[in-house]
């Protein structure tokens, strides 16, 4: 009889006795960690370089952040349709290579003093575009690597790696901009993307992707299928609305926040990076508990309570005054609570989304939710810059922080709040009634997943 670590499921996937014994999952985890570390470092490096070196104003910073987030609005839907037809490993590898080259070129330009604001805008758009490809692909890749009953643990591990990136990325980016130079900061992000590329390309498990039909559907038809599927599911529709409310307000708040810390509280770039890392340990704790709390208190209760706690804590920030000895510990506490609540929401939402979505629709469902939720972030960043110019930093920070509470309110008023201790069942769609990835009817796979 084969050992537990070498046994295979009916779908042909290895089922290790522990998820961490799966070599390919470990490679995905390591590569995603490196990629997220580079991404979080660059998200701090570019704005701080603009503010501290190029002396960008509130409106210019809002434009920079909006340009970096615009690819989410422009590219998410077509990328989702393409990812469902491609191998996710190839997509992630190419995205990492592109980001490493872009940031490497920017580092050289900054070293010779030729990196201006227009170049920074172009760089932000290029890195943001490639990040859309990577993020959609890695969300779909887990479903192709692990079994359904391992989704929560797998997502918990991947989101935990994102927590590690939140710990190290902002601190590294802020410290390098403040203590060394912008070229070194950009080069560090490029190195992390290169490390991610080298790790993910070593994933050996062959992915089962849908066979291309004799008369393939157009990209826009596949996009329409994904949008229709998400819009027709109550849970996914609520996730879209709650995500849109949060992301718009959070983007506006962060634009004000990155101005508030150095200009109102007089914090250096290194200290700003330090305060931003506080979300990392909180998120790490949230990712560890995310595999347990939903099964004890229910998925709906965890979603609503965690979102209300994590989003509401930023209402304390506008009241902060005084020396860094007072404000920095308070900011660290705020970041810790925000990271904890936000990570619980991220892991739980991703598990619910993956559970109710057929395999052949995973990329499009993830992209549709990203498009609706994250697509408003450019507008939020512009709104934050506008508010900061017109109403001042403290008032704007209070308004945008209050706006973040609209997300848990949307979830609390929806059927999503009533989800119990078990994940909902997967839904069939006309285009995926027979799972193209496994050649097995979805009804049979659901029976197998339940152990029947």
């Amino acid at each position: 009889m084969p050992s537990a670590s070498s046994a295979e499921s009916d779908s042909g996937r290895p089922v290790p006795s522990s998820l961490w014994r799966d070599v390919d999952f470990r490679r995905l985890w390591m590569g995603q960690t490196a990629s997220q570390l580079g991404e979080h470092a660059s998200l701090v490096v570019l704005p701080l370089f603009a503010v501290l070196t190029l002396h960008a104003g509130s409106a210019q910073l809002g434009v920079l952040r909006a340009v970096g987030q615009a690819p989410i609005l422009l590219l998410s839907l077509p990328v989702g349709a393409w990812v469902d037809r491609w191998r996710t490993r190839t997509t992630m590898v190419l995205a990492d290579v592109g980001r490493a080259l872009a940031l490497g070129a920017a580092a050289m330009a900054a070293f010779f003093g030729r990196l201006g604001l227009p170049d920074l805008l172009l760089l932000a758009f290029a890195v943001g575009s490639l990040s859309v490809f990577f993020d959609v692909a890695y969300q779909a890749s887990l479903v192709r690597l692990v079994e359904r009953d391992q989704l929560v643990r797998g997502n918990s591990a991947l989101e935990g790696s994102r927590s590690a990136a939140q710990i190290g990325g902002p601190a590294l980016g802020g410290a390098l901009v403040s203590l060394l130079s912008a070229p070194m900061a950009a080069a560090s992000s490029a190195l992390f993307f290169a490390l991610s590329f080298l790790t993910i390309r070593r994933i050996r498990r062959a992915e089962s992707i849908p066979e291309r039909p004799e008369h393939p559907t157009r990209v826009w038809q596949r996009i329409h299928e994904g949008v229709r599927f998400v819009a027709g599911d109550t849970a996914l529709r609520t996730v879209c609305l709650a995500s849109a409310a949060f992301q718009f307000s959070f983007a506006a708040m962060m634009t004000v926040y990155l101005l508030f810390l150095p200009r109102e509280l007089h914090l250096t770039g290194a200290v700003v990076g330090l305060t931003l890392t506080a979300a990392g340990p909180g998120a790490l704790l949230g990712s560890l508990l995310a595999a347990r709390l939903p099964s004890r208190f229910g998925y709906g209760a965890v979603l609503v309570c965690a979102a209300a706690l994590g989003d509401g804590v930023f209402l304390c920030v506008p009241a902060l005054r005084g020396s860094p000895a007072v404000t920095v510990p308070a900011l660290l506490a705020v970041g810790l609570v925000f990271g904890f609540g936000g990570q619980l929401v991220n892991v739980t939402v991703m598990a619910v989304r993956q559970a109710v979505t057929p395999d052949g629709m995973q990329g499009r469902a993830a992209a549709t939710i990203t498009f609706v939720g994250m697509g408003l972030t450019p507008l939020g960043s512009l709104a934050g810059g506008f508010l900061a110019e017109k109403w001042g930093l403290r008032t704007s920070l209070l308004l945008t922080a209050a706006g973040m509470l609209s997300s848990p309110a949307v979830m609390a008023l929806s059927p999503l709040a009533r989800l119990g201790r078990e994940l909902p069942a997967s839904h069939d769609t006309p285009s995926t009634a027979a799972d193209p990835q496994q050649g097995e009817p979805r009804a049979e796979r659901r029976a197998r997943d339940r152990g029947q």
Side-chain angles (χ1 to χ4, degrees):
M1 179 177 292
S3 66
S5 62
S6 62
E8 290 191 353
S9 71
D10 293 343
S11 65
R13 297 172 180 168
V15 183
S17 58
S18 169
L19 189 61
W20 290 105
R21 294 186 183 180
D22 187 330
V23 175
D24 285 328
F25 174 78
R26 291 204 306 270
R27 287 169 178 164
L28 173 65
W29 177 82
M30 293 172 62
Q32 190 253 6
T33 300
S35 180
Q36 292 289 331
L37 191 59
E39 183 175 345
H40 281 282
S42 66
L43 289 176
V44 173
V45 168
L46 299 186
L48 285 182
F49 180 70
V51 172
L52 300 177
T53 303
L54 302 180
H55 307 292
S58 301
Q60 290 174 317
L61 182 61
V63 170
L64 175 64
R65 285 174 50 80
V67 168
Q69 295 155 348
I72 299 171
L73 182 63
L74 300 175
L75 299 178
S76 291
L77 291 179
V79 167
W82 291 327
V83 164
D84 278 336
R85 300 277 181 169
W86 293 349
R87 286 181 171 81
T88 56
R89 184 188 74 117
T90 302
T91 306
M92 290 186 286
V93 163
L94 292 177
D96 280 332
V97 170
R99 289 184 292 185
L101 292 176
L103 285 167
M108 291 296 295
F111 181 79
F112 290 106
R114 297 186 178 277
L115 186 65
L117 188 58
D119 307 303
L120 212 55
L121 293 173
L122 182 61
L123 175 64
F125 185 83
V127 172
S129 299
L130 293 167
S131 294
V132 171
F133 280 88
F134 185 94
D135 291 343
V136 172
Y138 104 78
Q139 291 182 58
S141 66
L142 184 65
V143 182
R144 302 181 188 180
L145 282 178
V146 306
E147 291 297 307
R148 185 178 188 273
D149 59 359
Q150 295 175 318
L151 284 177
V152 174
R153 283 177 290 165
N155 280 313
S156 179
L158 290 177
E159 289 300 309
S161 73
R162 197 160 68 93
S163 304
Q166 289 176 326
I167 295 172
L172 180 64
L176 288 176
V177 170
S178 179
L179 302 178
L180 299 177
S181 65
M184 287 296 297
S188 67
S189 296
L191 290 176
F192 285 115
F193 291 130
L195 177 61
S196 177
F197 154 73
L198 293 173
T199 304
I200 292 177
R201 69 185 294 268
R202 296 179 63 211
I203 294 176
R204 292 291 178 255
R205 187 171 306 158
E207 290 185 39
S208 297
I209 59 175
E211 295 182 2
R212 296 183 182 274
E214 185 178 348
H215 302 288
T217 56
R218 296 176 182 270
V219 170
W220 293 109
Q221 289 177 302
R222 299 201 300 273
I223 291 173
H224 176 70
E225 289 176 358
V227 172
R228 185 174 59 185
F229 173 77
V230 172
D233 183 272
T234 303
L236 297 183
R237 188 168 62 245
T238 303
V239 168
C240 280
L241 295 175
S243 179
F246 168 78
Q247 295 295 347
F248 176 85
S249 300
F250 181 68
M253 190 277 296
M254 279 303 296
T255 298
V256 182
Y257 194 69
L258 290 172
L259 293 165
F260 181 81
L261 296 186
R263 295 184 178 176
E264 275 304 309
L265 301 184
H266 308 292
L267 303 181
T268 65
V271 176
V272 170
L274 174 64
T275 60
L276 293 175
T277 66
L284 184 60
L285 177 61
S287 67
L288 293 175
L289 294 179
R292 302 178 182 179
L293 294 183
S295 60
R296 181 172 183 180
F297 299 106
Y299 285 85
V302 169
L303 278 174
V304 174
C305 294
L309 176 67
D311 298 348
V313 72
F314 271 103
L315 290 172
C316 304
V317 177
L320 295 179
R321 299 177 185 273
S323 69
V326 176
T327 58
V328 171
L331 291 170
L332 292 174
V334 168
L336 188 72
V337 174
F338 172 72
F340 173 74
Q343 195 74 329
L344 278 177
V345 174
N346 289 341
V347 174
T348 307
V349 162
M350 194 172 294
V352 170
R353 192 263 299 166
Q354 291 172 340
V356 303
T357 304
D359 287 357
M361 190 68 71
Q362 288 287 341
R364 283 171 286 177
T368 300
I369 293 173
T370 299
F371 172 79
V372 176
M374 298 290 291
L376 291 179
T377 54
L379 298 178
S381 294
L382 291 174
F386 175 80
L387 288 174
E389 286 277 353
K390 297 297 181 182
W391 290 0
L393 296 178
R394 290 190 185 273
T395 301
S396 300
L397 192 57
L398 180 63
L399 290 174
T400 53
M404 291 167 60
L405 289 174
S406 58
S407 177
V410 169
M411 289 190 287
L413 297 174
S414 75
L416 194 65
R418 298 191 289 274
L419 287 179
R421 299 177 181 179
E422 295 184 359
L423 286 170
S426 175
H427 302 310
D428 292 331
T429 64
S431 61
T432 55
D435 185 354
Q437 295 189 4
Q438 306 296 344
E440 179 181 10
R442 294 296 297 179
E444 293 181 16
R445 290 201 66 203
R446 287 202 305 273
R448 174 176 56 76
D449 287 339
R450 292 194 296 267
Q452 298 177 359

